[in-house]
């Protein structure tokens, strides 16, 4: 009997699905000791079954980590403060989750003395970049094993049929139900759908695709009215006004907003986006709780934040969204931007009342002790501490530049 010398220990980001199950066995074939790591970030998963499967496939150890609260507080909340949206539409559910997963993967690798980390991300997508940049930032000497970028792996497994044959040969349990004809990734913040029949950007999404949100047409005919209380730009309480029920822990707040948003079909988008790696991709996303919070936070922020501070902060929010999408959560520039955004949120507190109904979020009202809204100053019925005559000079000063520009244009226009 020949003894294969171990090449070292690798911590595999393991999902329990076909791809990473095959990767686990393949890594063992290559001579690695494999530690399987599965992050619970709110996906619908039988974690105990995944543990038993990894153990049966020969994982040296299996770590199943409940990161839901950390995901909300350390990753989703900064995105809420930033009003983070990539390319004007995508609320970054997958992009925000990846560094959360990778942070714990690195912790396990360091604690277990593993020299390698591995993942099942493809060689064309953004996730490979997000995982690996995070790992290199937090564990500079780590070595990455990315099977879908290794020719001997991707030439051997050219499609799902090859993976299924390999699984049957090595006793890897395979799904008994047919796989949906698209790729899906789920977490507490959203579900994303891409690939397969969705690759044709003209094709409409099948009606049975969505799992997190109801079709707005089939949603209740009565709205839910919520009051969301913010402090330092993050929600600290959500109250259902009609039912007089409240949630006040981060995980409970976000889970409840997902429930209400999903019930009313809020947060569905179908977009073509620009991947960091240079290609366009079509993605369908449902982000119910995140969409409700984005609308509410935008409202309380505008109510309480100085105009010019908010103008700067808007630019920082766009920059933050690009950095997170591209995988730079742990870069020095993203750390700096997060600190600046957090500073801008110190007075963003108060309550927003809103209605969730038929796929939409309608703002109803707001109140705050930190409000910069002066009812007397803005009133058309009360003059307040404002002299209308001052507006004449203000307008004339602002007109100087316009007069000079058009004087020059007029002068130039007369030349032949």
């Amino acid at each position: 009997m020949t003894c294969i010398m171990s090449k070292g220990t690798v911590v595999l980001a393991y999902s329990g699905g076909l791809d990473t199950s095959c990767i686990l066995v393949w890594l063992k074939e290559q001579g690695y000791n494999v530690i399987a790591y599965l992050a619970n970030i709110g996906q619908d998963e039988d974690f105990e079954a995944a543990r038993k499967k990894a153990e049966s496939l020969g994982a040296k150890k299996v770590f199943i980590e409940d990161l839901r609260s950390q995901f909300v507080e350390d990753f989703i909340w900064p995105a809420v403060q930033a009003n983070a949206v990539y390319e004007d539409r995508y609320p970054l559910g997958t992009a925000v989750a990846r560094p959360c997963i990778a942070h714990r993967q690195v912790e396990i690798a360091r604690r277990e003395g593993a020299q390698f980390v591995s993942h099942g991300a493809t060689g064309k997508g953004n996730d490979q970049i997000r995982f690996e940049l995070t790992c290199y930032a937090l564990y500079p000497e780590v070595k990455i094993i990315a099977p879908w970028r290794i020719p001997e792996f991707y030439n051997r497994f050219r499609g799902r049929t090859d993976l299924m044959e390999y699984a049957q040969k090595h006793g890897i349990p395979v799904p008994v139900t047919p796989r949906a004809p698209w790729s899906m990734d789920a977490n507490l913040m959203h579900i994303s759908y891409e690939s397969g029949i969705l690759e044709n950007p003209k094709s409409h999404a099948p009606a049975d695709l969505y799992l997190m949100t109801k079709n707005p047409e089939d949603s209740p005919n009565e709205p839910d009215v919520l009051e969301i209380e913010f402090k330092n730009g993050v929600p600290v309480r959500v109250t259902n006004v009609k039912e007089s029920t409240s949630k006040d822990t981060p995980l409970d707040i976000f889970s409840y907003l997902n429930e209400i948003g999903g019930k009313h079909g809020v947060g569905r988008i179908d977009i073509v986006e620009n991947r960091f790696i240079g290609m366009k991709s079509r993605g369908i996303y449902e982000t119910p709780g995140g969409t409700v919070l984005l609308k509410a936070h935008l409202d309380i922020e505008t109510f309480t934040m100085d105009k010019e501070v908010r103008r700067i902060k808007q630019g920082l929010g766009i920059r933050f969204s690009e950095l997170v999408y591209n995988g730079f959560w742990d870069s020095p520039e993203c750390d700096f931007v997060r600190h600046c955004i957090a500073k801008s949120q110190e007075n963003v507190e108060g309550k927003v009342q809103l209605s969730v109904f038929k796929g939409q979020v309608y703002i109803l009202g707001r109140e705050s002790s930190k409000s910069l809204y002066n009812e007397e100053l803005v009133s058309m019925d009360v003059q307040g501490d404002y002299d209308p005559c001052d507006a004449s000079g203000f307008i004339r000063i602002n007109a100087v530049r316009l007069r000079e520009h058009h004087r020059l244009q007029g002068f130039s226009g007369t030349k032949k």
Side-chain angles (χ1 to χ4, degrees), residues 93-105:
T94 298
V96 168
R98 293 314 185 221
C100 178
I101 297 169
H103 277 207
R104 186 58 60 89
Q105 186 176 15

Side-chain angles (χ1 to χ4, degrees), residues 291-310:
T291 301
V292 174
L293 273 182
L294 174 64
K295 303 284 189 182
H297 181 264
L298 278 167
D299 190 77
I300 197 68
E301 183 178 80
T302 305
F303 193 47
T304 56
M305 187 180 288
D306 174 79
K307 170 189 172 184
E308 294 304 322
V309 172
R310 188 170 186 278

Side-chain angles (χ1 to χ4, degrees), residues 283-358:
I284 295 174
Y285 304 94
E286 44 185 345
T287 316
T291 301
V292 174
L293 273 182
L294 174 64
K295 303 284 189 182
H297 181 264
L298 278 167
D299 190 77
I300 197 68
E301 183 178 80
T302 305
F303 193 47
T304 56
M305 187 180 288
D306 174 79
K307 170 189 172 184
E308 294 304 322
V309 172
R310 188 170 186 278
R311 187 195 301 268
I312 294 169
K313 189 262 175 181
Q314 270 185 296
L316 291 174
I318 293 170
R319 182 68 175 134
F320 172 82
S321 302
E322 292 171 346
L323 288 168
V324 172
Y325 185 87
N326 292 340
F328 288 96
W329 183 279
D330 289 288
S331 66
E333 64 272 29
C334 193
D335 183 60
F336 174 75
V337 168
R338 279 200 306 276
H339 276 82
C340 292
I341 290 172
K343 175 68 178 174
S344 78
Q345 301 295 293
E346 288 178 350
N347 290 322
V348 179
E349 65 176 73
K351 299 176 181 179
V352 178
Q353 298 82 38
L354 53 86
S355 168
V356 188
F357 186 57
K358 296 291 182 186

